[in-house]
Amino acid sequence: VPNAPAFRATRPVVAGAASERFEPVVQEYAARHGLRPDLVRAVIQVESGFNPFARSPKGAMGLMQLMPGTARDLGVRNAFDPVENIRGGTAYLRRLLDRYEGNEALALAAYNAGFDAVDRHGGRVPPYAETQNYVRKVGSAAEVQRGPARSKRVIYKTIDLVDGRPVVRYTSERPASGTYEVVGR
């Protein structure tokens, strides 16, 4: 990362102005990935305290504390750029939610400890104090849902062309391809 200052994440309680600075980006990428904005904000708060230059002792970077390999896999070139970081972090969070069928607690445990740790522990939150505390902290900030029911409440809107005319369709299943809009939670 070119000449980015690195600060250790301290996770302070953030005044509204600091978090509001990133609100349009949080809203955009939460909507793109069918995530609740409050969940994305809670992850950012716990991970970095809304410090875009945060760096953990293990090397995680930026607002959503992306590890270098994860950032690379997500196409994030500069993890200290708030837009790139939130884009990558929300894409990763969406992948984890899909992997664990909408179970936010398991997705958050995987975000913190890695999906291999969750899988090794039989699809449960690993018995690591750090991970359990992380899930609790993010969960209390975002009112995390424990099971797949949360994903069924999302309503997707698609527009298909039928005989040259647009036809609007709504579904609770995330479309496998094409463009869609999240219209309800």
Side-chain angles (χ1 to χ4, degrees):
V1 178
N3 300 327
F7 300 95
R8 185 162 188 242
T10 57
R11 299 169 186 82
V13 175
V14 174
S19 64
E20 286 173 18
R21 177 175 156 207
F22 305 111
E23 188 61 20
V25 181
V26 167
Q27 291 290 331
E28 177 183 347
Y29 286 104
R32 280 192 191 186
H33 295 291
L35 301 171
R36 295 180 300 118
D38 57 331
L39 178 63
V40 175
R41 281 190 297 275
V43 168
I44 293 170
Q45 173 61 50
V46 172
E47 288 287 352
S48 68
F50 284 88
N51 177 355
F53 299 111
R55 177 173 250 155
S56 77
K58 294 181 181 178
M61 303 171 288
L63 289 168
M64 295 189 76
Q65 290 291 277
L66 301 175
M67 292 299 288
T70 303
R72 195 172 30 260
D73 292 346
L74 295 165
V76 174
R77 292 175 181 247
N78 179 359
F80 295 105
D81 176 273
V83 175
E84 280 196 69
N85 190 282
I86 293 171
R87 177 187 56 77
T90 55
Y92 186 56
L93 191 53
R94 175 79 262 159
R95 285 183 193 173
L96 294 172
L97 282 163
D98 290 346
R99 181 182 184 111
Y100 296 107
E101 300 175 352
N103 186 315
E104 291 180 357
L106 292 180
L108 290 170
Y111 196 96
N112 178 261
F115 60 82
D116 54 331
V118 173
D119 294 349
R120 266 195 325 269
H121 289 91
R124 294 195 172 125
V125 175
Y128 314 144
E130 177 187 339
T131 301
Q132 291 178 352
N133 288 335
Y134 177 84
V135 171
R136 244 188 318 277
K137 283 180 195 175
V138 174
S140 65
E143 298 182 27
V144 166
Q145 298 294 312
R146 297 284 175 211
R150 166 50 83 190
S151 65
K152 298 298 181 193
R153 293 186 195 162
V154 175
I155 305 298
Y156 300 95
K157 174 184 171 184
T158 62
I159 300 176
D160 299 313
L161 287 178
V162 176
D163 296 329
R165 294 183 4 197
V167 176
V168 176
R169 292 196 170 108
Y170 296 91
T171 180
S172 61
E173 298 292 330
R174 184 174 183 213
S177 63
T179 59
Y180 61 88
E181 177 183 352
V182 176
V183 295
R185 288 188 166 57

